[in-house]
Amino acid sequence: MSSASEGALPDEEGVFVYDVPSGSWARAAPGEAVRDGVNVVYFRSPLCMYCRLLDIKLADLLRDFAGRANFVVVNCAVAAPCPPRGAEGLPEGSQVEALPLVVVACRAGGQTRRCARFEGVPSLAELRGAVRLALGAHQQKAL
């Protein structure tokens, strides 16, 4: 398992999950990136200028919601199809037409349901609102 240090987004192609205790990104095993609860799945390319703008907002989301939501980054090579191998089972995995793409999804009982989808660079307020709404909906279903 490779990881990127200090919360910096990984540059290599693949699927990565944010590990809260270590504060770093770890490569996810195929099919194990999305977990029960709320998931923020970010499809990006390290070479994409718009993705770099969204990277800054993702850092703010991590500060706000790490530990309450699971964060997944899918790094795509510009010349290769996105998502890369190992992204099986991710929400929207087969429907990535443009980068960046953020999907907020809830998973329970083996079923994943999309709560929000953002193509391009949404505002931080939109992203925070979608995660808050998903957290509230997921808690309601758990009761």
Side-chain angles (χ1 to χ4, degrees):
M1 176 172 9
S2 68
S3 65
S5 62
E6 299 300 320
L9 291 171
D11 286 333
E12 64 263 23
E13 185 177 340
V15 180
F16 300 85
V17 177
Y18 187 74
D19 180 62
V20 175
S22 70
S24 64
W25 294 93
R27 187 176 293 277
E32 294 184 12
V34 176
R35 300 175 182 158
D36 282 346
V38 175
N39 293 268
V40 178
V41 183
Y42 174 30
F43 295 87
R44 68 183 287 274
S45 170
L47 303 175
C48 166
M49 180 179 70
Y50 294 108
C51 298
R52 291 182 196 166
L53 294 172
L54 194 50
D55 292 352
I56 298 164
K57 295 175 185 185
L58 183 71
D60 288 333
L61 280 183
L62 277 170
R63 278 191 289 281
D64 293 347
F65 298 107
R68 295 189 290 157
N70 179 45
F71 286 83
V72 179
V73 167
V74 181
N75 276 341
C76 305
V78 174
C82 188
R85 282 193 332 213
E88 297 83 7
L90 290 177
E92 311 298 310
S94 63
Q95 300 174 17
V96 178
E97 297 174 8
L99 297 175
L101 171 66
V102 176
V103 178
V104 179
C106 292
R107 182 179 176 101
Q111 299 294 316
T112 303
R113 178 179 51 84
R114 178 179 71 186
C115 298
R117 176 185 169 110
F118 299 97
E119 293 180 359
V121 184
S123 71
L124 183 56
E126 289 174 304
L127 292 167
R128 282 180 173 147
V131 175
R132 280 190 195 110
L133 190 62
L135 285 167
H138 185 72
Q139 288 173 350
Q140 289 290 332
K141 287 190 181 272
L143 297 178

